[in-house]
Short mmCIF file of all heavy atoms in Angstrom, two decimals:
data_model
loop_
_atom_site.label_atom_id
_atom_site.label_comp_id
_atom_site.label_asym_id
_atom_site.label_seq_id
_atom_site.Cartn_x
_atom_site.Cartn_y
_atom_site.Cartn_z
N ALA A 116 71.96 113.03 100.95
CA ALA A 116 72.86 112.00 101.47
C ALA A 116 74.25 112.57 101.72
O ALA A 116 74.90 112.24 102.72
CB ALA A 116 72.93 110.82 100.50
N ALA A 117 74.72 113.42 100.81
CA ALA A 117 76.04 114.04 100.98
C ALA A 117 76.08 114.88 102.25
O ALA A 117 77.07 114.86 103.00
CB ALA A 117 76.38 114.90 99.76
N ARG A 118 75.02 115.64 102.52
CA ARG A 118 74.96 116.47 103.72
C ARG A 118 75.02 115.61 104.99
O ARG A 118 75.79 115.88 105.92
CB ARG A 118 73.68 117.30 103.72
CG ARG A 118 73.55 118.23 104.93
CD ARG A 118 72.16 118.85 105.00
NE ARG A 118 71.12 117.84 105.18
CZ ARG A 118 70.85 117.24 106.33
NH1 ARG A 118 71.56 117.53 107.42
NH2 ARG A 118 69.88 116.34 106.40
N ILE A 119 74.24 114.53 105.00
CA ILE A 119 74.20 113.64 106.17
C ILE A 119 75.58 113.01 106.40
O ILE A 119 76.08 112.97 107.54
CB ILE A 119 73.13 112.55 105.97
CG1 ILE A 119 71.73 113.16 105.99
CG2 ILE A 119 73.25 111.47 107.05
CD1 ILE A 119 70.64 112.19 105.58
N LEU A 120 76.19 112.55 105.34
CA LEU A 120 77.47 111.85 105.49
C LEU A 120 78.61 112.79 105.86
O LEU A 120 79.46 112.43 106.70
CB LEU A 120 77.80 111.11 104.19
CG LEU A 120 76.89 109.91 103.89
CD1 LEU A 120 77.17 109.35 102.50
CD2 LEU A 120 77.06 108.81 104.93
N THR A 121 78.67 113.97 105.28
CA THR A 121 79.74 114.89 105.65
C THR A 121 79.61 115.35 107.10
O THR A 121 80.61 115.51 107.80
CB THR A 121 79.77 116.11 104.71
OG1 THR A 121 78.48 116.74 104.68
CG2 THR A 121 80.17 115.71 103.30
N GLU A 122 78.38 115.52 107.55
CA GLU A 122 78.17 115.89 108.95
C GLU A 122 78.59 114.76 109.89
O GLU A 122 78.92 115.00 111.06
CB GLU A 122 76.71 116.24 109.19
CG GLU A 122 76.30 117.57 108.56
CD GLU A 122 74.83 117.90 108.77
OE1 GLU A 122 74.09 117.03 109.31
OE2 GLU A 122 74.41 119.01 108.40
N ASP A 123 78.63 113.55 109.37
CA ASP A 123 79.03 112.39 110.17
C ASP A 123 80.51 112.05 109.97
O ASP A 123 80.96 110.98 110.37
CB ASP A 123 78.16 111.19 109.80
CG ASP A 123 78.22 110.08 110.84
OD1 ASP A 123 78.47 110.39 112.02
OD2 ASP A 123 78.05 108.91 110.46
N GLY A 124 81.26 112.93 109.34
CA GLY A 124 82.70 112.75 109.24
C GLY A 124 83.20 112.06 107.99
O GLY A 124 84.40 111.80 107.86
N PHE A 125 82.31 111.76 107.04
CA PHE A 125 82.75 111.14 105.79
C PHE A 125 83.36 112.19 104.86
O PHE A 125 83.02 113.37 104.91
CB PHE A 125 81.56 110.48 105.08
CG PHE A 125 81.12 109.18 105.68
CD1 PHE A 125 80.19 109.16 106.71
CD2 PHE A 125 81.63 107.97 105.22
CE1 PHE A 125 79.78 107.95 107.27
CE2 PHE A 125 81.23 106.76 105.77
CZ PHE A 125 80.30 106.76 106.80
N GLN A 126 84.25 111.71 104.00
CA GLN A 126 84.81 112.54 102.92
C GLN A 126 84.21 112.01 101.62
O GLN A 126 84.57 110.94 101.14
CB GLN A 126 86.34 112.46 102.94
CG GLN A 126 86.93 113.04 104.22
CD GLN A 126 88.42 112.83 104.36
OE1 GLN A 126 89.01 111.97 103.72
NE2 GLN A 126 89.05 113.62 105.21
N VAL A 127 83.27 112.77 101.09
CA VAL A 127 82.36 112.27 100.06
C VAL A 127 82.86 112.62 98.65
O VAL A 127 83.19 113.77 98.36
CB VAL A 127 80.95 112.83 100.27
CG1 VAL A 127 80.00 112.36 99.17
CG2 VAL A 127 80.43 112.42 101.65
N PHE A 128 82.86 111.61 97.79
CA PHE A 128 83.14 111.75 96.36
C PHE A 128 81.82 111.51 95.63
O PHE A 128 81.46 110.36 95.36
CB PHE A 128 84.17 110.71 95.90
CG PHE A 128 85.55 110.85 96.48
CD1 PHE A 128 85.79 110.63 97.84
CD2 PHE A 128 86.63 111.18 95.67
CE1 PHE A 128 87.07 110.74 98.36
CE2 PHE A 128 87.91 111.30 96.19
CZ PHE A 128 88.13 111.07 97.54
N PRO A 129 81.06 112.55 95.30
CA PRO A 129 79.72 112.35 94.75
C PRO A 129 79.71 112.11 93.24
O PRO A 129 80.24 112.91 92.46
CB PRO A 129 79.01 113.66 95.10
CG PRO A 129 80.11 114.69 95.06
CD PRO A 129 81.35 113.98 95.54
N TYR A 130 79.09 111.03 92.82
CA TYR A 130 78.84 110.76 91.41
C TYR A 130 77.64 111.62 91.00
O TYR A 130 76.53 111.43 91.50
CB TYR A 130 78.55 109.27 91.21
CG TYR A 130 77.86 108.90 89.93
CD1 TYR A 130 78.47 109.10 88.69
CD2 TYR A 130 76.59 108.33 89.95
CE1 TYR A 130 77.82 108.76 87.52
CE2 TYR A 130 75.94 107.98 88.78
CZ TYR A 130 76.56 108.19 87.57
OH TYR A 130 75.91 107.85 86.40
N CYS A 131 77.88 112.58 90.09
CA CYS A 131 76.85 113.54 89.76
C CYS A 131 76.82 113.80 88.25
O CYS A 131 77.58 113.20 87.50
CB CYS A 131 77.10 114.86 90.51
SG CYS A 131 78.70 115.64 90.15
N THR A 132 75.93 114.67 87.83
CA THR A 132 75.92 115.12 86.44
C THR A 132 76.71 116.43 86.35
O THR A 132 77.18 116.95 87.36
CB THR A 132 74.48 115.35 85.95
OG1 THR A 132 73.87 116.36 86.75
CG2 THR A 132 73.66 114.07 86.04
N GLU A 133 76.82 116.97 85.15
CA GLU A 133 77.61 118.18 84.93
C GLU A 133 76.79 119.45 85.15
O GLU A 133 77.10 120.52 84.61
CB GLU A 133 78.23 118.18 83.52
CG GLU A 133 77.25 118.30 82.36
CD GLU A 133 76.61 116.98 81.97
OE1 GLU A 133 76.65 116.02 82.76
OE2 GLU A 133 76.09 116.90 80.85
N ASP A 134 75.77 119.38 85.98
CA ASP A 134 74.90 120.51 86.28
C ASP A 134 75.57 121.45 87.29
O ASP A 134 75.98 121.02 88.37
CB ASP A 134 73.57 119.99 86.84
CG ASP A 134 72.58 121.10 87.10
OD1 ASP A 134 72.64 121.71 88.17
OD2 ASP A 134 71.74 121.36 86.21
N LEU A 135 75.68 122.73 86.94
CA LEU A 135 76.38 123.68 87.80
C LEU A 135 75.66 123.91 89.13
O LEU A 135 76.30 124.05 90.17
CB LEU A 135 76.56 125.01 87.07
CG LEU A 135 77.38 124.99 85.78
CD1 LEU A 135 77.51 126.40 85.22
CD2 LEU A 135 78.75 124.37 86.00
N ILE A 136 74.34 123.94 89.09
CA ILE A 136 73.58 124.16 90.32
C ILE A 136 73.75 122.98 91.27
O ILE A 136 73.93 123.14 92.49
CB ILE A 136 72.09 124.40 90.03
CG1 ILE A 136 71.93 125.53 89.01
CG2 ILE A 136 71.33 124.70 91.31
CD1 ILE A 136 72.58 126.83 89.42
N LEU A 137 73.71 121.77 90.71
CA LEU A 137 73.94 120.58 91.53
C LEU A 137 75.33 120.62 92.14
O LEU A 137 75.52 120.30 93.32
CB LEU A 137 73.76 119.32 90.69
CG LEU A 137 74.09 117.99 91.36
CD1 LEU A 137 73.27 117.79 92.62
CD2 LEU A 137 73.86 116.84 90.39
N GLY A 138 76.32 121.02 91.34
CA GLY A 138 77.68 121.14 91.87
C GLY A 138 77.76 122.10 93.04
O GLY A 138 78.39 121.82 94.06
N GLU A 139 77.11 123.26 92.91
CA GLU A 139 77.10 124.24 93.99
C GLU A 139 76.49 123.65 95.26
O GLU A 139 77.01 123.83 96.37
CB GLU A 139 76.29 125.47 93.56
CG GLU A 139 76.92 126.31 92.46
CD GLU A 139 77.94 127.30 92.99
OE1 GLU A 139 78.31 127.19 94.19
OE2 GLU A 139 78.37 128.16 92.23
N LYS A 140 75.38 122.95 95.12
CA LYS A 140 74.70 122.41 96.28
C LYS A 140 75.51 121.29 96.95
O LYS A 140 75.49 121.15 98.17
CB LYS A 140 73.30 121.92 95.88
CG LYS A 140 72.35 123.07 95.52
CD LYS A 140 70.95 122.59 95.30
CE LYS A 140 70.02 123.76 94.98
NZ LYS A 140 69.94 124.75 96.09
N LEU A 141 76.21 120.51 96.16
CA LEU A 141 77.06 119.46 96.73
C LEU A 141 78.22 120.07 97.51
O LEU A 141 78.58 119.58 98.59
CB LEU A 141 77.58 118.54 95.62
CG LEU A 141 76.55 117.58 95.03
CD1 LEU A 141 77.08 116.94 93.76
CD2 LEU A 141 76.15 116.51 96.03
N LEU A 142 78.80 121.13 96.99
CA LEU A 142 79.88 121.80 97.71
C LEU A 142 79.36 122.42 98.99
O LEU A 142 80.01 122.35 100.05
CB LEU A 142 80.52 122.85 96.82
CG LEU A 142 81.25 122.32 95.57
CD1 LEU A 142 81.72 123.49 94.70
CD2 LEU A 142 82.43 121.43 95.95
N THR A 143 78.18 123.03 98.93
CA THR A 143 77.57 123.60 100.13
C THR A 143 77.26 122.52 101.17
O THR A 143 77.35 122.76 102.38
CB THR A 143 76.27 124.35 99.76
OG1 THR A 143 76.59 125.40 98.83
CG2 THR A 143 75.62 124.96 100.98
N ALA A 144 76.94 121.31 100.68
CA ALA A 144 76.64 120.19 101.59
C ALA A 144 77.89 119.64 102.26
O ALA A 144 77.79 118.81 103.17
CB ALA A 144 75.94 119.08 100.83
N GLY A 145 79.06 120.08 101.81
CA GLY A 145 80.30 119.65 102.45
C GLY A 145 81.26 118.88 101.59
O GLY A 145 82.36 118.53 102.04
N CYS A 146 80.88 118.57 100.36
CA CYS A 146 81.78 117.84 99.47
C CYS A 146 82.96 118.73 99.06
O CYS A 146 82.79 119.94 98.85
CB CYS A 146 81.05 117.38 98.21
SG CYS A 146 79.68 116.24 98.52
N GLU A 147 84.12 118.15 98.91
CA GLU A 147 85.31 118.88 98.46
C GLU A 147 85.81 118.35 97.12
O GLU A 147 86.87 118.77 96.63
CB GLU A 147 86.41 118.81 99.52
CG GLU A 147 86.03 119.48 100.82
CD GLU A 147 87.12 119.43 101.86
OE1 GLU A 147 88.28 119.11 101.50
OE2 GLU A 147 86.83 119.71 103.05
N VAL A 148 85.06 117.42 96.55
CA VAL A 148 85.37 116.82 95.25
C VAL A 148 84.06 116.70 94.47
O VAL A 148 83.01 116.45 95.08
CB VAL A 148 85.99 115.41 95.41
CG1 VAL A 148 86.28 114.79 94.05
CG2 VAL A 148 87.26 115.48 96.25
N LEU A 149 84.12 116.88 93.16
CA LEU A 149 82.96 116.63 92.30
C LEU A 149 83.34 115.60 91.25
O LEU A 149 84.46 115.61 90.73
CB LEU A 149 82.50 117.92 91.61
CG LEU A 149 81.95 119.02 92.52
CD1 LEU A 149 81.63 120.27 91.70
CD2 LEU A 149 80.71 118.54 93.28
N MET A 150 82.39 114.69 90.96
CA MET A 150 82.66 113.60 90.02
C MET A 150 81.55 113.51 88.98
O MET A 150 80.71 112.61 89.03
CB MET A 150 82.81 112.27 90.78
CG MET A 150 83.94 112.29 91.78
SD MET A 150 84.12 110.72 92.68
CE MET A 150 84.63 109.64 91.39
N PRO A 151 81.53 114.45 88.02
CA PRO A 151 80.49 114.40 86.98
C PRO A 151 80.71 113.24 86.02
O PRO A 151 81.85 112.87 85.73
CB PRO A 151 80.65 115.74 86.26
CG PRO A 151 82.08 116.10 86.46
CD PRO A 151 82.43 115.60 87.83
N TRP A 152 79.62 112.69 85.52
CA TRP A 152 79.73 111.59 84.56
C TRP A 152 80.17 112.10 83.19
O TRP A 152 79.93 113.25 82.83
CB TRP A 152 78.42 110.82 84.47
CG TRP A 152 77.22 111.57 83.90
CD1 TRP A 152 77.11 112.91 83.65
CD2 TRP A 152 75.97 110.98 83.56
NE1 TRP A 152 75.86 113.20 83.17
CE2 TRP A 152 75.14 112.04 83.10
CE3 TRP A 152 75.46 109.68 83.60
CZ2 TRP A 152 73.83 111.83 82.67
CZ3 TRP A 152 74.15 109.49 83.18
CH2 TRP A 152 73.36 110.54 82.72
#
Side-chain angles (χ1 to χ4, degrees):
R118 181 190 62 78
I119 292 171
L120 291 173
T121 54
E122 289 178 354
D123 197 28
F125 284 88
Q126 296 173 341
V127 178
F128 295 67
Y130 161 65
C131 59
T132 61
E133 68 277 18
D134 184 275
L135 299 182
I136 307 304
L137 175 57
E139 291 277 11
K140 291 187 179 299
L141 287 168
L142 295 174
T143 300
C146 298
E147 296 181 15
V148 178
L149 294 176
M150 300 180 67
W152 66 350

